[in-house]
Amino acid sequence: MCGIIGYIGPDPCAQILVQGLQKLEYRGYDSAGIAIVDGGQLQTRRARGKLMNLIETLARDPIDGTVGIGHTRWATHGGPTEHNAHPHSVGSVAVVHNGIIENYLPIKRELIAAGHTFKSETDTEVIAHLVWQNRQRGIGLEQAVMEAVRRLEGAYSVVVVDAEEPDTLIAARLASPLVLGLGEGRNFVASDIPAILSHTRRMVFLDDGTLATVRRDGVVVRRISDAVEVPVEERTIAWSPSLAEKGGYKHFMLKEIHEQPDAVANTLRGRVSLERLAVDLPELQMSAEEFAALSQVYVVACGTSWHAGMVGRYLMEDLAGISPHVELASELRYRRAPMDERTLIIAVSQSGETADTLAALKDAKARGVRVLSICNVIEASIPRASDGTLYTHAGPEISVASTKAFSTQVAALHLLALHFGRLAGRLDDDTMRAELSGLVRAAASMERMLQHDEPYLQAARAWHEARSMLFLGRGALYPLALEGALKLKEISYIHAEGYAAGEMKHGPIALIDETVPTVVLAPRDAHHDKVRSNLQEVKARGGPIIVIHTEGDEETAAMGGIAIPIPDVPERILPLVCALPMQLIAYHMADFKGTDVDQPRNLAKSVTVE
Ligand code: M6R
């Protein structure tokens, strides 16, 4: 939820920390702060609101020094004020934290009874007090942090600096992400890769329950439970730093929408063989016998990833004869759904860090369930907890509103459905050939669609002041209607509902009047006639229509006040191409309204708390 960064090296680090925080700001933007050891003293600057406020504070009141930590906050405990902003410091110690300390209250009471005075309402501040208490007993910084974090329950990634031991940073994690970046004479700590990618591609992904002592000349990692040193496993990241820049686009969201043809091609790359009519997914680590032994499949996810999972259900039913339960992770983890060794659970997550998805997956795993994941961020917690992972290779997604994550997840689920269909012996060569070439050609169709933005601008001009909108779809396009509504809500703050088109007459049609536009997904598919009837029902009640129709289908186009054409693609490719109008309607509406498209209010990119 929050973003954290640390640096130790030869260079003045205020700028390095701020640049890292710029890359992390998507994780939270309620406040920001840095603490640097400057001339043997701890210097802290914090500011409420966006990072820009901290930058202005630093311009007025700069700090020097070559060891420091930084934080950008999504508020959980305590309002978004300056005194709740991280870093939290006590004595010479400063701490930044991402996560939630569930037992902070009893610790806080104990510390207050021992004479400590608290300056914030945060759960984090107890960590600073615990470390400082240990330091006052004469314990070295590494051990002081080790003993402090052993007392914590919940989730944390923390980085600690101490002006009295200025050549060391201590980082520790439990159920919140943390990566070390290795350089020459300088090392980094961050919540995720893009924050430090411009400095190094050499990364170490810390395991849960480990603590790293980071110095200029190297890092040592130990288990928190028994302080035993564990090997440092270095990975080289292939992402280029420019992927984490806007590249001339007005917003990251627009850039990421436009990256989708390439991103989908990357998801397919090396996995599709048109010669052998095969999908190669060795990373699943699953044999044909193991597949045959399965009795049920769950797909578990949150938000946009859940919508992708819903599309996956249609694909698996059609292609593999499997009907997975597609579940919201926050619900499934508290249900007693029967699962055993013959169950497969597929976790879908862009970040690989979503707390509910991770918890649902771990819970299933503890019951002997086989766990696969579809994930974008390499070595994130969800893939690390999985038996096999299908990486989507979408590249970093910075905008809070998910776009290329969705289309690449849909492409990955399509591959999985084809793979399972082949294992189940259900797909003949002709079907396989048609499916694979449809998938391979999807990127070109998406590319072509991205050349035209007039209908979206028209829709945005006409309806950006609407108070409410509806999105209708049927079959595999029902989840697209949900996704269109979610995108619009989160970035334009216009209330929106996605519905299965056939469900309208069971209640929601009462919402229709001339002020409530309805987006209808009505391309030529098996549901075309029925959706057109649903469209007419809305129209007959005075509801304005924005219709998504197949190119050349002028009759359907004429049914909408605004018509958005999409290429004539095979039916199972429609969810991929229909993702674009859903995203672009929301984007242009929000841009017209002038909202903060990439960092919408109240949201954070990775939801690493429950
Ligand atoms: O990283 P994940 O895919 O697990 O994230 C799940 C949701 O938090 C995410 O899709 C969220 O709904 C997006 N903001 C939607 O645009």
Side-chain angles (χ1 to χ4, degrees):
M1 251 12 209
C2 304
I4 64 183
I5 184 150
Y7 170 84
I8 182 162
D11 318 294
C13 67
Q15 191 62 13
I16 294 170
L17 295 176
V18 167
Q19 279 167 357
L21 292 179
Q22 278 167 335
K23 299 283 186 311
L24 291 168
E25 203 181 11
Y26 72 92
R27 299 175 71 91
Y29 26 87
D30 288 330
S31 63
I34 60 173
I36 294 178
V37 180
D38 184 358
Q41 299 294 315
L42 191 66
Q43 294 282 343
T44 303
R45 302 286 182 273
R46 304 184 297 179
R48 183 198 160 120
K50 295 226 164 181
L51 185 61
M52 189 43 70
N53 300 340
L54 176 69
I55 293 172
E56 285 168 7
T57 304
L58 282 165
R60 284 194 303 273
D61 195 5
I63 351 180
D64 218 358
T66 60
V67 183
I69 57 178
H71 188 270
T72 179
R73 178 168 187 246
W74 187 84
T76 58
H77 294 60
T81 58
E82 187 180 325
H83 74 278
N84 285 328
H86 301 215
H88 291 284
S89 52
V90 182
S92 57
V93 167
V95 174
V96 287
H97 164 226
N98 170 32
I100 287 186
I101 307 304
E102 286 167 1
N103 61 339
Y104 84 101
L105 271 176
I107 298 177
K108 187 169 179 176
R109 279 192 216 109
E110 172 198 309
L111 288 162
I112 289 171
H116 290 248
T117 307
F118 279 74
K119 294 174 278 190
S120 77
E121 289 92 52
T122 65
D123 51 343
T124 304
E125 197 182 341
V126 298
I127 308 173
H129 283 271
L130 286 173
V131 175
W132 176 238
Q133 192 177 50
N134 293 339
R135 294 286 285 143
Q136 290 207 296
R137 286 164 44 215
I139 300 175
L141 185 61
E142 181 188 74
Q143 186 63 19
V145 177
M146 183 90 80
E147 288 184 15
V149 295
R150 279 185 188 146
R151 296 204 51 195
L152 307 180
E153 289 166 16
Y156 59 78
S157 49
V158 291
V159 190
V160 182
V161 66
D162 185 340
E164 290 178 1
E165 201 175 313
D167 295 323
T168 313
L169 283 179
I170 305 291
R173 75 160 281 187
L174 181 73
S176 286
L178 208 55
V179 58
L180 309 179
L182 306 181
E184 294 301 321
R186 51 176 68 74
N187 288 307
F188 306 80
V189 188
S191 293
D192 66 19
I193 300 165
I196 49 180
L197 195 57
S198 58
H199 302 287
T200 180
R201 291 187 183 183
R202 295 169 52 212
M203 308 277 172
V204 176
F205 298 91
L206 284 187
D207 276 326
D208 260 356
T210 57
L211 176 146
T213 301
V214 184
R215 300 202 170 88
R216 287 179 179 82
D217 58 357
V219 300
V220 174
V221 180
R222 298 180 194 281
R223 276 200 306 257
I224 291 169
S225 56
D226 54 11
V228 168
E229 190 173 339
V230 294
V232 173
E233 283 176 31
E234 187 181 323
R235 295 272 311 261
T236 302
I237 297 301
W239 293 356
S240 90
S242 65
L243 279 175
E245 307 291 341
K246 274 192 209 152
Y249 286 92
K250 186 171 176 189
H251 296 103
F252 276 111
M253 182 180 178
L254 189 59
K255 172 179 177 251
E256 288 159 9
I257 289 172
H258 280 258
E259 281 171 350
Q260 287 177 105
D262 283 345
V264 166
N266 284 339
T267 306
L268 304 183
R269 181 158 298 123
R271 291 169 168 159
V272 168
S273 167
L274 279 162
E275 295 76 43
R276 289 182 288 111
L277 297 177
V279 169
D280 299 320
L281 301 176
E283 58 270 65
L284 297 186
Q285 315 265 9
M286 193 176 186
S287 67
E289 294 71 36
E290 286 166 327
F291 171 76
L294 294 175
S295 62
Q296 57 171 355
V297 177
Y298 279 83
V299 176
V300 62
C302 300
T304 287
S305 299
W306 179 62
H307 297 154
M310 289 175 79
V311 174
R313 173 166 54 204
Y314 292 91
L315 294 167
M316 287 196 201
E317 284 174 349
D318 281 4
L319 298 168
I322 298 169
S323 196
H325 311 271
V326 182
E327 305 287 350
L328 289 168
S330 54
E331 289 295 316
L332 183 68
R333 63 181 288 197
Y334 293 111
R335 277 174 34 202
R336 286 184 191 77
M339 294 184 189
D340 58 20
E341 314 72 54
R342 296 183 61 212
T343 305
L344 171 69
I345 190 164
I346 304 168
V348 185
S349 174
Q350 187 285 129
S351 61
E353 299 293 348
T354 300
D356 285 317
T357 310
L358 181 60
L361 177 157
K362 284 186 171 169
D363 176 60
K365 204 169 175 193
R367 293 198 263 162
V369 170
R370 174 182 280 272
V371 173
L372 296 183
S373 55
I374 293 179
C375 191
N376 186 34
V377 178
I378 289 153
E379 291 286 338
S381 300
I382 288 173
R384 285 161 83 86
S386 304
D387 298 313
T389 299
L390 192 50
Y391 282 111
T392 52
H393 301 307
E397 191 180 68
I398 308 292
S399 166
V400 166
S402 226
T403 54
K404 61 179 177 172
F406 176 81
S407 47
T408 54
Q409 287 165 351
V410 168
L413 284 158
H414 204 145
L415 289 177
L416 202 56
L418 289 169
H419 180 65
F420 286 165
R422 269 308 223 200
L423 288 181
R426 289 177 56 96
L427 297 177
D428 60 29
D429 283 357
D430 287 345
T431 313
M432 197 68 180
R433 189 174 293 107
E435 290 292 326
L436 292 180
S437 49
L439 257 178
V440 168
R441 287 203 203 109
S445 302
M446 295 168 91
E447 188 81 65
R448 197 153 62 78
M449 288 171 76
L450 288 166
Q451 287 160 13
H452 303 285
D453 58 6
E454 309 83 35
Y456 306 108
L457 293 170
Q458 193 192 350
R461 212 174 288 119
W463 293 111
H464 68 279
E465 283 175 353
R467 302 251 347 257
S468 190
M469 277 179 71
L470 293 175
F471 288 74
L472 302 184
R474 264 184 121 113
L477 298 186
Y478 163 45
L480 269 291
L482 296 178
E483 176 60 5
L486 174 63
K487 285 287 89 88
L488 189 70
K489 276 185 271 211
E490 70 178 330
I491 60 168
S492 75
Y493 318 143
I494 295 172
H495 169 254
E497 300 282 352
Y499 270 99
E503 189 64 16
M504 274 297 279
K505 56 178 90 60
H506 298 287
I509 202 161
L511 293 170
I512 297 296
D513 66 23
E514 64 287 351
T515 69
V516 179
T518 299
V519 177
V520 185
L521 285 146
R524 281 204 196 100
D525 64 4
H527 309 283
H528 190 228
D529 289 341
K530 295 205 186 308
V531 173
R532 291 189 344 155
S533 302
N534 300 139
L535 184 159
Q536 295 292 14
E537 288 155 13
V538 174
K539 216 173 155 185
R541 283 151 185 88
I545 303 285
I546 300 168
V547 65
I548 317 291
H549 67 93
T550 305
E551 260 168 4
D553 180 1
E554 297 312 327
E555 201 178 280
T556 305
M559 291 177 179
I562 296 171
I564 301 178
I566 61 163
D568 193 0
V569 297
E571 184 155 342
R572 277 188 283 275
I573 301 300
L574 280 172
L576 271 179
V577 299
C578 286
L580 301 185
M582 298 298 96
Q583 298 160 355
L584 285 163
I585 289 172
Y587 173 78
H588 286 291
M589 290 275 194
D591 192 34
F592 245 83
K593 280 189 81 170
T595 59
D596 194 339
V597 170
D598 284 332
Q599 295 176 347
R601 68 187 181 202
N602 304 339
L603 291 174
K605 179 77 180 157
S606 297
V607 185
T608 54
V609 294
E610 238 194 281

